[in-house]
Amino acid sequence: LDVVSVFIQDTISLSNSLDVILGGRFDRFDLSVDNVKTPADSGSQDDSHFSPRVGFVYKPQESVSLYASYSETFIPQSGEQYANLGKDALDADEFTNLEAGVKWNLKDGYDLSLAIFQIDQDFAEDDGNDGSTFITTEITGFETQFVGQLSENWTLTAGYSFLDGEDKDGKRPKELPENMISVWNYYQASEKLGLGIGAIYQDESIIKNDPTPVLPDYFRVDAAAYYAINEDLRLQLNIENLLDETYYPSAHSTHQVTVGAPINARISISGRF
């Protein structure tokens, strides 16, 4: 797989309180598969796509920002696990995102944001005449986030998302949980030591476009710690799934459900020059 991407974005101030954001991205994907078991299924495919973005930010007062944005993106088609590559090449799946929201600085150290959005997913499928046609799935929802410095050393971040959607048959799309919640606590224990712990919750979702079977809801706890060896060197520990829960974050199909990783840790060291 060879990927070439070019991205440009600019923010233009029309007045002291109004900014316009303009951007665009060009991607080219060249994919080839050599099927050593079934040579006839080998093939290649290339996709090119330009994705625009435009947004507005308006500040009626210093502590409040209102914004709206429109953007596009895409995912190249490669057939069912590359099985149809080169034989039934389809146009890329396309996505458009409309979003509007507000960010409000309640007071020093306390910020609240709220956004509503609509995502239209245009999935390409074979039209039976060596071409592609698109079917649209619409997802709507809202999300809110609170960031508060509860004390000199303690910072809390909490977020909530609500999702709804409808596919071409009027059913709820697969792998779309209705509610998602996240909470993260960060505590500066000393000048050099920082600690963090948080949790995420995700509602159940269907695996296919039927009421059953479902991916069950899950709750996962993560933790982190870092130690500043000196001004330029930092040691960090991240622990995922601290309680070692068994959970299922996603699924390819009813017989291919992904199992979440058991408790695991990652140690990293970073330097600044």
Side-chain angles (χ1 to χ4, degrees):
L1 173 65
D2 294 319
V3 180
V4 176
S5 300
V6 179
F7 175 81
I8 186 170
Q9 181 171 294
D10 191 23
T11 300
I12 305 168
S13 295
L14 301 182
S15 69
N16 290 334
S17 57
L18 180 62
D19 291 339
V20 177
I21 299 97
L22 297 174
R25 178 185 177 108
F26 175 81
D27 294 278
R28 180 178 177 85
F29 292 80
D30 291 318
L31 176 67
S32 61
V33 173
D34 182 14
N35 191 326
V36 296
K37 182 178 179 181
T38 311
D41 287 339
S42 299
S44 62
Q45 186 171 318
D46 62 80
D47 282 291
S48 299
H49 201 84
F50 176 75
S51 304
R53 181 191 180 198
V54 60
F56 300 90
V57 179
Y58 176 65
K59 294 177 70 71
Q61 59 188 62
E62 188 61 31
S63 61
V64 178
S65 296
L66 306 174
Y67 72 92
S69 69
Y70 171 86
S71 61
E72 296 180 3
T73 187
F74 80 112
I75 297 177
Q77 287 272 0
S78 60
E80 174 68 5
Q81 300 180 353
Y82 306 123
N84 299 322
L85 186 66
K87 295 195 302 181
D88 300 314
L90 299 174
D91 293 333
D93 294 337
E94 299 177 357
F95 303 80
T96 60
N97 181 30
L98 281 170
E99 182 175 335
V102 57
K103 296 181 179 180
W104 184 13
N105 178 231
L106 305 174
K107 62 179 183 177
D108 287 344
Y110 291 84
D111 295 288
L112 180 67
S113 63
L114 175 67
I116 57 175
F117 53 86
Q118 175 178 312
I119 303 172
D120 291 329
Q121 306 175 346
D122 294 326
F123 297 107
E125 65 176 11
D126 191 354
D127 64 1
N129 297 306
D130 296 326
S132 298
T133 186
F134 285 99
I135 56 174
T136 300
T137 294
E138 182 180 284
I139 296 174
T140 58
F142 71 87
E143 59 185 6
T144 183
Q145 185 179 60
F146 169 79
V147 179
Q149 188 167 350
L150 305 183
S151 70
E152 184 178 354
N153 298 327
W154 179 21
T155 301
L156 171 70
T157 300
Y160 169 75
S161 298
F162 172 82
L163 299 171
D164 195 9
E166 188 175 277
D167 63 14
K168 65 173 183 176
D169 299 318
K171 298 179 179 180
R172 188 176 184 86
K174 64 180 182 178
E175 295 189 78
L176 185 69
E178 187 172 46
N179 300 288
M180 293 188 295
I181 302 171
S182 64
V183 179
W184 184 258
N185 293 273
Y186 173 76
Y187 186 75
Q188 188 70 40
S190 68
E191 184 178 346
K192 292 189 173 184
L193 179 64
L195 304 172
I197 188 167
I200 60 173
Y201 170 80
Q202 182 170 299
D203 239 343
E204 69 175 25
S205 60
I206 57 176
I207 295 179
K208 297 183 71 174
N209 293 5
D210 296 303
T212 57
V214 301
L215 290 172
D217 63 342
Y218 68 86
F219 175 83
R220 193 187 80 199
V221 177
D222 300 331
Y226 84 85
Y227 182 79
I229 299 173
N230 54 45
E231 288 186 359
D232 300 321
L233 204 60
R234 180 163 126 164
L235 186 67
Q236 183 158 328
L237 169 68
N238 290 85
I239 302 176
E240 185 180 84
N241 197 3
L242 184 65
L243 303 181
D244 201 23
E245 295 289 334
T246 301
Y247 68 100
Y248 310 94
S250 61
H252 175 70
S253 186
T254 52
H255 66 288
Q256 292 178 329
V257 176
T258 301
V259 182
I263 182 172
N264 61 93
R266 182 177 70 254
I267 298 175
S268 60
I269 187 168
S270 59
R272 184 174 58 184
F273 302 94

